Amino acid sequence: MNSSDPSATPPKADKATVRRHNLSLVLRTVHDEGEATRAQVAGLVGLTRAAVSSLVDQLLTDGYLTEWGKTFSGQAGRPGTALKMARTGAAGLGVEINIDYVTVCVVDLAGTDRVRLVERMDNRSAAPTAVLAQAARIAARAMESAQEQELRPVAAELALPGLVSGGAVRQAPNLGWNRVPVEGLFAQALTALRPAHRALPVSADNEANLAAMAELWFGGCAGGDGEPPLRSFIYLTGEIGIGGALVLGGQLLRGAHGFAGEIGHVVVDAEGPACRCGARGCLEQYAGQSALLRAAGLDPESGAAGVAELESRARAGDQRALAALEDAGRHLGRVLSGAVNLVDPDAVMLGGAFRVLMPWLAPAADAELTARVVSGLWTPGNGRLRASSSSGDAARGAAARVVREVLADPAAYAARRTD
Amino acid sequence: MNSSDPSATPPKADKATVRRHNLSLVLRTVHDEGEATRAQVAGLVGLTRAAVSSLVDQLLTDGYLTEWGKTFSGQAGRPGTALKMARTGAAGLGVEINIDYVTVCVVDLAGTDRVRLVERMDNRSAAPTAVLAQAARIAARAMESAQEQELRPVAAELALPGLVSGGAVRQAPNLGWNRVPVEGLFAQALTALRPAHRALPVSADNEANLAAMAELWFGGCAGGDGEPPLRSFIYLTGEIGIGGALVLGGQLLRGAHGFAGEIGHVVVDAEGPACRCGARGCLEQYAGQSALLRAAGLDPESGAAGVAELESRARAGDQRALAALEDAGRHLGRVLSGAVNLVDPDAVMLGGAFRVLMPWLAPAADAELTARVVSGLWTPGNGRLRASSSSGDAARGAAARVVREVLADPAAYAARRTD
């Protein structure tokens, strides 16, 4: 009785559409397996050997796959050659523009982070156009490195700490941005620098969404060590703002307008301190970096250096630091318990600064979650409250999303080749 | 760049599976259209006239469809006969067991509420087995009425105010139930009353989930008057407890363990009054029926009669009643703003007692939502905060879910016929 609403049949597919779909199917199979022979691919996708061979030939020609060594299958001839994802050619470009840094990374078809360039700066003090122009310069430098490695980014995805829709940042309270058409401005800045990049498609999303996808694709969620992969979790970034994202059943929850996940602006105390969003008493004012640093007696604007200092003070047993962290953990736990009661995830993942401060935040947060999650499924230290892995961040998630798009329709990106 | 993760191809389907699928497709098409000729069905589903005729013949034989009159299509012969959903035969049985009432309803294949039986009682004062036995007696009476109308419920779905999983109520704080195997106990009680009902499959779900589905299928969400249908909303029941459900993109969000939607236990004030769930300061303690009635100076246990009295006092301008409603509305709005920031729905629907008290709850709730929804998409009186429609409730949603299962696989339910 619990199946969902029956859906309509898919539209009819013509031969060319079927071949495009099957190209993707074969490419994704090799991607997921890491390495596979044509025979193995045929077995996994349920197509004939002849059909798979024809598809593989096209994927080799387009530079998506490479042949690699020989497997000793006991059978004669070519079929024993292993296929792998190409380490050159099509790649994804991810550009995270955050409050006090810009990170650019290039991810290859296998998902490996091949180029990473991080520059720290205060993006609150410059105009949006200047910040985007600077990000474009950093991206262009990363693309030079990529080019030397024979990687060719086919699209760029921007990650931004705010509400993103229709190619624009609708609102990014901590940057002070309102209605900034980021996709267009970044594409323009990149084209001005490198006219050859004119055709590079640019898209944008919220940084917490992309960090959560990186966690899903590359982090502890991916399973391993006999653990089942995590498919449903709430993800919190711990940057200057608190970003959030919901991944439910392996899918990012976007919401009706693309603005889901704004856990940083859930109210803690309706009469609390004013928040940059315009309301009062939001979680960010209790557990955001500035609030935490201020409560610990540190410079609230000291950013990553301040967080490192807070960590070392907590480690040394500094009472004020410990009290500030316990208090923030308690507020995090209260707001998270409401979120868990609402969406019933498998876990909550804390990223960014929260990740390093986890040992001192977690006990109080866990106690609140245990007391308030009504299903009774939360018990202290049951491993549901986790630090995010260090292998994924918003920039990698952004670049990897471009790669996923290539995997979903390789023919579309092969056609776009100009080099 | 925003498409979701590419999914694998569906498994291969044999001929019998395809026919079963197509039977459902034709039946759902007639259901959605209300009335259609074979030619219209063929056009809508993309199958040949001959194939549709064969499928329709089987659906007529199995009693799912009826032929109705003639349409004057200008063409000769049978094809102009209109097909409609049968008003007899397979039906759904919905049984809502709430804190102070039991509602049973029988819904036919067209979705019409054909039998409805409501009995008021205090289910907190009896043992779970006694309550389920009483609900079975009410269901048996409703099934007698259904039988007289030549309706044959093919399955029963229970709606309960608590956390439901694996056929049991895990916890229903307001009923005081813990780990009650409701599906088994209800089936047993029904079989004891009417041995002929032995084979009736019984399933169970949370009442807010089912009320939300009724709202999606039959309520204002269904569109009409040129308005697009609402596909994403938060639904709140206003019974003695506050139940909640999230419908996102037309799908009920169940969560990783089936416990999503528990908005009644989101914290308002961590130091607030003790809640039946074991925590402190949950929304239910500020905006639930008992809290509202107490704040208005009425007997907190007076239930529906108390709500009616509260409504009439508010209408008469009673200051204490108005203050209690404003206060509850403010707390509702604060918790809802957090939920809206998290899942970004199109609307919030208030059901049950909230529906009738809406005129006095809405202004304060709307003001909080406007101040706190960070996307800026909430403005006072923009119609996003709505009273649920009166045409759907949990019992109808439960019965309609059975009907949806029949529509999804009519062959399975035809085979089960014993009469």
Side-chain angles (χ1 to χ4, degrees):
Chain A
M1 286 294 118
N2 290 330
S3 77
S4 50
D5 212 19
S7 62
T9 43
K12 288 185 189 177
D14 61 21
K15 250 178 131 175
T17 310
V18 170
R19 185 171 170 87
R20 246 170 113 147
H21 171 82
N22 286 340
L23 279 169
S24 164
L25 190 59
V26 168
L27 188 61
R28 281 183 281 131
T29 302
V30 177
H31 175 269
D32 295 350
E33 296 294 308
E35 181 180 326
T37 64
R38 287 169 176 78
Q40 286 166 338
V41 171
L44 286 164
V45 303
L47 292 169
T48 65
R49 285 284 300 275
V52 168
S53 274
S54 157
L55 295 162
V56 164
D57 285 347
Q58 183 171 340
L59 292 167
L60 288 165
T61 304
D62 288 345
Y64 291 123
L65 292 179
T66 53
E67 287 185 296
W68 190 77
K70 294 276 179 200
T71 64
F72 297 94
S73 64
Q75 296 179 309
R78 230 179 55 148
T81 310
L83 300 164
K84 292 181 81 166
M85 299 305 286
R87 294 290 169 150
T88 56
L93 178 70
V95 182
E96 179 183 357
I97 301 170
N98 220 310
I99 292 145
D100 52 354
Y101 63 89
V102 169
T103 299
V104 175
C105 83
V106 179
V107 164
D108 66 19
L109 289 177
T112 308
D113 207 346
R114 294 278 294 277
V115 176
R116 170 168 289 259
L117 181 50
V118 184
E119 299 194 15
R120 296 221 156 255
M121 61 201 68
D122 189 346
N123 289 323
R124 288 170 291 198
S125 59
T129 45
V131 171
L132 287 156
Q134 177 65 14
R137 278 192 293 276
I138 301 170
R141 278 196 285 280
M143 283 168 87
E144 274 175 34
S145 306
Q147 209 168 2
E148 283 172 18
Q149 299 194 42
E150 294 178 63
L151 288 164
R152 174 179 51 86
V154 296
E157 172 99 10
L158 310 180
L160 292 137
L163 302 168
V164 180
S165 78
V169 166
R170 186 186 171 91
Q171 198 196 344
N174 288 305
L175 279 174
W177 291 13
N178 276 296
R179 300 182 189 274
V180 178
V182 287
E183 288 178 8
L185 290 171
F186 181 85
Q188 207 177 314
L190 196 61
T191 303
L193 282 169
R194 300 274 190 286
H197 296 327
R198 187 190 312 275
L200 198 77
V202 176
S203 57
D205 199 353
N206 169 272
E207 41 106 49
N209 284 352
L210 291 162
M213 295 322 279
E215 191 64 37
L216 180 72
W217 293 328
F218 307 114
C221 302
D225 290 338
E227 271 196 56
L230 258 188
R231 305 283 293 165
S232 295
F233 58 91
I234 299 175
Y235 185 95
L236 257 69
T237 67
E239 305 298 335
I240 288 183
I242 297 179
L246 309 179
V247 176
L248 304 173
Q251 300 286 328
L252 181 68
L253 178 76
R254 297 201 156 274
H257 318 91
F259 302 142
E262 288 296 332
I263 200 165
H265 301 283
V266 171
V267 62
V268 165
D269 177 354
E271 318 298 332
C275 181
R276 283 176 175 272
C277 75
R280 288 198 158 271
C282 298
L283 177 61
E284 224 166 82
Q285 300 307 317
Y286 296 85
Q289 263 186 37
S290 298
L292 243 176
L293 294 174
R294 184 180 295 113
L298 293 159
D299 173 7
E301 302 304 320
S302 55
V307 171
E309 174 62 22
L310 177 58
E311 184 191 357
S312 76
R313 287 194 189 181
R315 213 175 282 287
D318 179 279
Q319 285 307 309
R320 194 161 172 197
L322 292 174
L325 285 160
E326 188 189 335
D327 210 43
R330 191 159 40 237
H331 289 300
L332 270 176
R334 284 178 190 161
V335 167
L336 283 170
S337 71
V340 170
N341 280 331
L342 275 175
V343 301
D344 182 22
D346 277 321
V348 172
M349 318 286 290
L350 301 184
F354 291 145
R355 203 166 64 76
V356 299
L357 300 172
M358 192 76 182
W360 305 282
L361 292 167
D366 232 3
E368 290 290 328
L369 282 156
T370 300
R372 297 183 183 282
V373 171
V374 73
S375 67
L377 292 179
W378 210 287
T379 49
N382 67 356
R384 287 185 192 275
L385 183 67
R386 306 186 186 185
S388 73
S389 75
S390 56
S391 50
D393 65 358
R396 190 174 181 201
R401 179 180 280 165
V402 172
V403 168
R404 296 264 155 173
E405 292 293 316
V406 176
L407 298 181
D409 191 3
Y413 290 88
R416 208 172 282 166
R417 286 180 77 166
T418 49
D419 58 343
Chain B
M1 286 293 118
N2 290 330
S3 76
S4 50
D5 212 19
S7 62
T9 44
K12 288 185 189 177
D14 61 21
K15 250 179 130 175
T17 310
V18 170
R19 185 170 171 89
R20 246 170 114 147
H21 171 82
N22 285 340
L23 280 169
S24 163
L25 189 59
V26 168
L27 189 60
R28 282 183 280 131
T29 302
V30 176
H31 176 270
D32 294 350
E33 295 294 308
E35 181 181 325
T37 64
R38 286 169 176 79
Q40 286 166 337
V41 172
L44 287 164
V45 303
L47 293 170
T48 66
R49 285 285 298 275
V52 167
S53 275
S54 156
L55 294 162
V56 163
D57 286 346
Q58 182 171 340
L59 292 167
L60 287 166
T61 304
D62 288 344
Y64 291 123
L65 292 179
T66 53
E67 288 186 294
W68 189 77
K70 295 276 180 202
T71 63
F72 297 94
S73 65
Q75 295 179 308
R78 231 179 54 148
T81 310
L83 300 164
K84 293 181 80 167
M85 300 304 286
R87 292 290 169 151
T88 56
L93 178 70
V95 181
E96 179 184 358
I97 300 171
N98 220 311
I99 292 144
D100 52 353
Y101 63 88
V102 170
T103 299
V104 175
C105 82
V106 179
V107 163
D108 67 19
L109 290 177
T112 308
D113 207 345
R114 294 279 293 277
V115 176
R116 170 168 288 260
L117 181 50
V118 185
E119 300 194 14
R120 295 223 157 253
M121 62 200 68
D122 188 347
N123 289 324
R124 287 169 292 196
S125 59
T129 46
V131 171
L132 288 157
Q134 176 64 15
R137 278 193 291 277
I138 301 170
R141 278 196 285 280
M143 284 168 86
E144 275 175 36
S145 306
Q147 211 169 0
E148 283 172 18
Q149 297 193 43
E150 293 177 65
L151 288 164
R152 175 179 51 86
V154 296
E157 173 99 10
L158 310 180
L160 292 137
L163 303 168
V164 180
S165 78
V169 166
R170 187 187 169 90
Q171 198 196 345
N174 287 307
L175 279 174
W177 292 13
N178 275 295
R179 300 181 189 275
V180 177
V182 287
E183 288 177 7
L185 289 172
F186 181 84
Q188 208 176 314
L190 196 62
T191 303
L193 282 171
R194 300 274 190 285
H197 295 329
R198 189 189 311 274
L200 197 78
V202 177
S203 56
D205 199 354
N206 170 272
E207 41 107 48
N209 284 353
L210 291 163
M213 294 323 279
E215 190 65 37
L216 180 71
W217 292 328
F218 307 114
C221 302
D225 290 338
E227 271 197 56
L230 258 188
R231 306 283 294 164
S232 295
F233 57 91
I234 299 175
Y235 184 94
L236 258 68
T237 66
E239 305 298 335
I240 288 183
I242 298 179
L246 309 179
V247 175
L248 305 173
Q251 299 287 328
L252 181 68
L253 177 77
R254 296 201 155 274
H257 318 91
F259 302 144
E262 289 294 332
I263 200 164
H265 300 283
V266 171
V267 63
V268 165
D269 177 355
E271 319 298 333
C275 181
R276 283 177 174 270
C277 76
R280 287 198 159 272
C282 298
L283 176 61
E284 223 166 81
Q285 301 308 317
Y286 296 85
Q289 264 185 36
S290 298
L292 243 176
L293 294 174
R294 185 180 294 112
L298 291 161
D299 173 7
E301 301 304 319
S302 55
V307 171
E309 174 63 22
L310 177 58
E311 184 191 356
S312 76
R313 287 194 189 181
R315 213 173 282 287
D318 177 278
Q319 286 307 308
R320 195 162 171 197
L322 293 174
L325 286 161
E326 188 188 337
D327 210 43
R330 190 158 44 237
H331 289 301
L332 270 175
R334 283 178 190 162
V335 166
L336 283 169
S337 70
V340 169
N341 280 331
L342 276 175
V343 301
D344 182 23
D346 276 322
V348 172
M349 317 286 290
L350 300 184
F354 291 146
R355 203 167 62 78
V356 297
L357 300 172
M358 193 76 182
W360 305 282
L361 292 167
D366 232 4
E368 289 290 328
L369 282 156
T370 300
R372 297 184 181 283
V373 171
V374 73
S375 66
L377 291 181
W378 211 286
T379 50
N382 67 355
R384 287 186 192 275
L385 182 67
R386 305 187 187 184
S388 72
S389 75
S390 56
S391 51
D393 66 358
R396 189 175 182 199
R401 181 181 277 166
V402 173
V403 168
R404 296 264 154 173
E405 291 294 316
V406 175
L407 298 180
D409 191 4
Y413 290 88
R416 206 172 282 168
R417 287 181 76 166
T418 51
D419 58 346

